[in-house]
Amino acid sequence: MAKTKTAYFCQNCGTQYAKWIGQCTSCKQWNTIVEEVVQKEDKKTWKPSSSTLQKASRPLRVNEINSDKEIRLNTLDQEFNRVLGGGLVPGSLTLLGGEPGIGKSTLLLQIALKLSYKTLYVSGEESQKQIKMRADRIHPESEHCFILTETRTQNIFQQILSLEPDIIVIDSIQTLHSDYIESAAGSISQIRECTAELIKFAKESNTPVILVGHITKDGTIAGPKILEHMVDTVLQFEGDRNYVYRILRSLKNRFGSTAELGIYEMQGSGLREVNNPSEVLISKNDEDLSGTAVAATVEGMRPLLIEIQALVSTAVYGTPQRSATGFNAKRLNMLLAVLEKRAGFKLAAKDVFLNITGGISIDDPAIDLAVIAAILSSNSDISIEKGVCFAGEVGLAGEIRPVQRVDQRILEAEKLGFNTIYVSKNNKIGLKKTTIHIKLASKIEQLVAELFG
């Protein structure tokens, strides 16, 4: 028997060392180096059957490669399909991460129950009875979903060979362990080895695999960073558990765009797809309230109208507070500096709180104009007229810069009943017939004069 060898790994980033050291030289974290056993034996991993065995690849000229779009499996979930880029690609590995209790298992079980493909749902965290109780609430009539509670990868591959499923869901990758690595489940070595075995299986059998991944307290997926490099798609399921809405984002996608967004509403019977999120992200308040403005933004191919709330008050203590929820705090400070310098508003001694309703986060710079409008509305305690929305980026000189795909933003605002939209004077608008009034502005001074006199 070969001598058992050990190595030292950083539990934070996965860097390997020959001996123990106090600080990881890669991620600069202290006391994260642990010793793990590395077994140097010939690995008997999953072997493809004769029906799934493919020929070895050979080099091809670029003009010989077929450029047709890859075949995708429809998950019967429009939001999930949109974020993936049209559906699951055969042979792909998808990693879904998110906070504990946010609904990762519910989302994937719901998809598995509705699929017309033979699906194997492997759970290492819950028993079959627990999954059955959740399935009865979501979709009890499923005939194509098979539940397996197992954590040993060798046993899982045995069941896969006998069942031959079309799609496999693993919940979660941190609970799996392989016999060929003598370390605990969830360790760096086990996560890397189990993922490598699943990648080999997915590519050789052309079967899509979806993995659930735990996250650390910093919000990153637990395990080595190489885990995100190994998989084809990395999805993030986020949201506040105090809100009913959940956001599905794509952080990496080899088969589609990473700018797409999927929105769900958590209900007792599962997650409901929100096909028109603009209606749920804008409050139906009949009263005129100061400090609120509506921004027309675009996430991926989807235009959204979101409500932005601001509160400006005199600072009780010497240092004013700057707080932003769902918006970049540094960009908020920049916009406040522009208002101080270019528009003459004295906000240095005032607290400013900003919130994007619905518990979502937006990085689109086109909401700058709405942020400024909400801040000035709260500062002067004058409400903005109903039916008014904004789409424009604000520069350091106080100019209103053009934004991309302004026509889609205008059409979305018109569809939701808005009668006025403020955009940059330099935007090229291709719409010929529209009922919404398009107001062009070049500087924030002009916007302030029109809104607040």
Side-chain angles (χ1 to χ4, degrees), residues 75-88:
T75 63
L76 303 181
D77 188 312
Q78 295 181 5
E79 301 296 302
F80 199 72
N81 284 343
R82 176 186 287 111
V83 177
L84 288 176
L88 282 171

Side-chain angles (χ1 to χ4, degrees), residues 5-206:
K5 298 181 66 176
T6 61
Y8 295 86
F9 295 91
C10 174
Q11 293 289 83
N12 187 52
C13 65
T15 306
Q16 182 175 348
Y17 297 93
K19 62 180 181 179
W20 185 89
I21 57 176
Q23 183 187 30
C24 176
T25 58
S26 179
C27 64
K28 306 301 181 184
Q29 295 293 318
W30 288 90
N31 298 323
T32 58
I33 311 297
V34 296
E35 183 181 14
E36 294 183 4
V37 176
V38 180
Q39 191 73 14
K40 296 294 184 179
E41 293 182 359
D42 293 335
K43 298 177 182 178
K44 299 177 181 179
T45 54
W46 179 84
K47 298 287 184 66
S49 60
S50 58
S51 60
T52 60
L53 189 62
Q54 298 179 351
K55 295 181 180 180
S57 60
R58 60 182 181 86
L60 296 174
R61 294 188 182 93
V62 174
N63 55 8
E64 293 178 349
I65 300 175
N66 187 6
S67 60
D68 295 340
K69 290 186 177 180
E70 61 276 348
I71 301 173
R72 293 180 181 264
L73 303 179
N74 184 11
T75 63
L76 303 181
D77 188 312
Q78 295 181 5
E79 301 296 302
F80 199 72
N81 284 343
R82 176 186 287 111
V83 177
L84 288 176
L88 282 171
V89 176
S92 65
L93 212 72
T94 303
L95 178 64
L96 175 65
E99 292 278 350
I102 205 68
K104 304 183 295 297
S105 302
T106 301
L107 174 63
L108 295 183
L109 180 61
Q110 178 173 306
I111 293 173
L113 292 172
K114 293 181 180 179
L115 283 173
S116 57
Y117 303 99
K118 187 187 293 184
T119 306
L120 177 62
Y121 186 95
V122 183
S123 177
E125 300 179 345
E126 296 176 300
S127 66
Q128 291 178 328
K129 289 185 178 180
Q130 288 176 304
I131 299 173
K132 170 63 176 174
M133 291 171 61
R134 185 186 296 134
D136 288 340
R137 298 197 310 267
I138 298 174
H139 193 272
E141 303 299 328
S142 176
E143 296 180 355
H144 303 281
C145 182
F146 296 82
I147 306 298
L148 173 65
T149 55
E150 182 60 65
T151 58
R152 184 170 172 263
T153 57
Q154 285 70 31
N155 293 343
I156 293 173
F157 288 132
Q158 287 180 3
Q159 299 301 325
I160 288 173
L161 288 173
S162 61
L163 184 63
E164 295 187 354
D166 299 317
I167 297 175
I168 296 174
V169 178
I170 305 291
D171 186 10
S172 64
I173 185 62
Q174 278 81 10
T175 61
L176 298 189
H177 68 90
S178 174
D179 290 344
Y180 306 113
I181 299 293
E182 293 186 4
S183 56
S187 62
I188 299 294
S189 301
Q190 284 287 5
I191 293 176
R192 185 167 51 218
E193 175 65 22
C194 294
T195 305
E197 292 181 9
L198 289 169
I199 288 177
K200 182 180 180 182
F201 159 74
K203 301 304 180 185
E204 293 181 353
S205 66
N206 213 29

